Amino acid sequence: MKRKDIEKILAARLISPAQCDAIVEHFRLNEKVGLRWLLICLSALASILIVSGLVMLISANWYSIPPLLKMVCCMLLMVGCWVAWYWQRESRPIVSEVLGFCGAGAWLGCIALYGQIFQLQNPFVEGCTLFFAGIALIPFICRQRFLIWVVVAASFIELGALGTGRDSYLNFYNWLPGWEDDYTPFALVLLGTVWWCVAEKWNAASSRWNSYSWVAPVLLLLGVNVAQGMMYTELNISDLDEVEMVFMGLIPVVLLLLKPRGMQWMPWCGMSAVISLVFPCFYLMDVVEADIVGILIYFCMALVVMFSGVKAMRMSWINIGSLMVVLTAIALVADVLDSYTFSGLVLVAAGLLLLGLGVLLEKSRRHLILAVKNSQPSTPEA
């Protein structure tokens, strides 16, 4: 919620001037955005300095500290961070989120310290599971914009640890007969799809959940990089078994079931098609030269992403589609330079074509961004 939104409501005579002032004062909308970001940066820097200083002090006297005292101090640090979070959660919400982030870091420190003191040789997946179980629900109980990304990242690490290795009873090999290491990348892509859909739902939700929506463009950027890397990978559809095909089939189902409220079907189906077709398209490229076909497919995906961003009025989708076009140009030039069978004339012609396309796309992009801002000025940027 921004001050100009309240002023529009006041201009529409839906609230009185007194109510407008009360809302602005309650939500502290008079504060400048730059000052809030300055407070965030200073708070984060202060927390890093404090934690770094404590780590250095403890490291300097590590061997002279009794093991029990080490464990008690680490636990007191974790409890102290969360007590301070509770104390500051109303008056200084940004500082409280930094304290909550430090509390999660102290929880990880307690796990590592416990294993070091007692010389435990537990598998990595068990420590990862314990850490993930301790932080997974915190952002859903209280507002933690920093910690939500830790939860997302830890979920990927946890799934990767569960799907690879056979040194613990927590691995999938003990639960799912026939599980193979090759299934883990498909499971990770499915998990990323679920997180992206949930983050897009947060983007259209209330103010609290809307603050978590920044996860969506980050995951989409990661997916863009993965897809760009696959342009040079030649795979065969015959390598897929039934389990991997089931994983690929679940991705479009999840995308359609988790469509955000208020999102039109056309742009959502466009993005769903791009995400769902990444694996199938590149697994089917066994007939012709994979790199050239991959570049063309990736370029088509970029156009679909930009078109979906225009229809959904999402600037982040438009920008990511533009980035995909740039990556396509880089991949095309790299492929031509790497192949001695292409002549210099092909390189010059491709360069001129890409230059003209780049100018056209940049003009279109600026026009689209201006249209988005003029049509929906109060819509939060994803």
Side-chain angles (χ1 to χ4, degrees):
M1 182 182 296
K2 301 178 181 178
R3 182 187 176 96
K4 62 181 180 181
D5 299 329
I6 306 301
E7 292 175 350
K8 288 182 179 180
I9 297 175
L10 176 63
R13 298 181 180 180
L14 298 176
I15 57 176
S16 64
Q19 290 174 324
C20 176
D21 294 338
I23 294 173
V24 170
E25 183 65 24
H26 178 75
F27 290 101
R28 301 180 181 180
L29 301 180
N30 283 323
E31 298 180 2
K32 294 183 179 180
V33 176
L35 293 177
R36 290 201 298 268
W37 277 109
L38 178 61
L39 179 59
I40 292 174
C41 295
L42 290 178
S43 300
L45 179 60
S47 63
I48 293 173
L49 292 175
I50 292 172
V51 173
S52 300
L54 290 174
V55 169
M56 293 180 67
L57 288 174
I58 294 173
S59 299
N61 304 278
W62 182 255
Y63 294 103
S64 61
I65 302 175
L68 182 61
L69 181 59
K70 295 177 185 177
M71 198 70 215
V72 170
C73 290
C74 192
M75 294 180 67
L76 288 177
L77 178 63
M78 180 183 66
V79 174
C81 287
W82 285 109
V83 170
W85 164 83
Y86 184 81
W87 176 42
Q88 297 289 328
R89 74 188 193 284
E90 296 292 342
S91 58
R92 297 179 178 85
I94 297 176
V95 175
S96 69
E97 291 186 36
V98 174
L99 291 170
F101 185 84
C102 293
W107 168 241
L108 178 61
C110 288
I111 297 173
L113 184 61
Y114 181 81
Q116 191 272 336
I117 290 175
F118 295 98
Q119 297 297 318
L120 301 178
Q121 301 297 326
N122 297 74
F124 171 76
V125 64
E126 296 180 6
C128 184
T129 302
L130 185 59
F131 173 71
F132 181 69
I135 67 168
L137 296 179
I138 294 177
F140 302 97
I141 298 174
C142 56
R143 186 175 182 179
Q144 291 289 331
R145 288 172 292 183
F146 303 132
L147 192 57
I148 185 63
W149 181 247
V150 178
V151 173
V152 173
S155 67
F156 284 98
I157 298 174
E158 170 70 9
L159 181 58
L162 290 172
T164 56
R166 297 172 173 82
D167 53 354
S168 173
Y169 64 93
L170 292 177
N171 295 119
F172 285 151
Y173 299 96
N174 298 320
W175 307 347
L176 305 173
W179 180 270
E180 300 292 340
D181 289 345
D182 295 339
Y183 300 159
T184 303
F186 292 87
L188 290 172
V189 172
L190 182 60
L191 177 63
T193 302
V194 172
W195 272 121
W196 182 75
C197 292
V198 172
E200 288 292 343
K201 279 183 169 292
W202 287 337
N203 187 65
S206 60
S207 58
R208 175 191 172 184
W209 301 111
N210 184 265
S211 60
Y212 291 168
S213 62
W214 66 276
V215 174
V218 175
L219 289 174
L220 196 56
L221 280 172
L222 292 176
V224 164
N225 291 328
V226 171
Q228 197 268 348
M230 292 178 65
M231 288 195 299
Y232 300 100
T233 304
E234 189 171 358
L235 303 169
N236 195 303
I237 191 64
S238 61
D239 296 333
L240 295 175
D241 60 17
E242 293 80 3
V243 176
E244 292 168 335
M245 291 183 179
V246 168
F247 273 117
M248 288 197 304
L250 286 175
I251 292 175
V253 174
V254 169
L255 286 164
L256 295 178
L257 291 178
L258 296 181
K259 186 182 80 71
R261 181 180 300 178
M263 174 69 67
Q264 298 178 358
W265 276 105
M266 179 179 291
W268 186 254
C269 287
M271 292 298 295
S272 300
V274 170
I275 297 173
S276 302
L277 293 177
V278 169
F279 269 127
C281 285
F282 292 104
Y283 267 88
L284 288 170
M285 287 190 304
D286 60 338
V287 179
V288 293
E289 204 169 334
D291 46 4
I292 297 299
V293 175
I295 291 171
L296 294 176
I297 293 176
Y298 192 78
F299 179 73
C300 294
M301 289 181 175
L303 297 181
V304 174
V305 171
M306 294 182 67
F307 176 78
S308 301
V310 173
K311 290 298 182 180
M313 294 297 180
R314 298 293 299 276
M315 290 177 56
S316 62
W317 293 5
I318 298 173
N319 293 334
I320 290 175
S322 302
L323 174 63
M324 294 174 69
V325 172
V326 173
L327 293 176
T328 303
I330 294 174
L332 180 61
V333 173
D335 179 73
V336 171
L337 290 175
D338 187 59
S339 176
Y340 293 102
T341 60
F342 287 92
S343 64
L345 182 61
V346 174
L347 181 60
V348 173
L352 293 175
L353 178 62
L354 289 173
L355 180 61
L357 181 62
V359 173
L360 179 61
L361 286 174
E362 178 59 23
K363 290 183 179 179
S364 302
R365 177 181 174 275
R366 292 181 180 180
H367 176 72
L368 292 173
I369 290 177
L370 182 62
V372 170
K373 290 183 177 179
N374 293 334
S375 59
Q376 291 189 359
S378 61
T379 301
E381 183 178 342

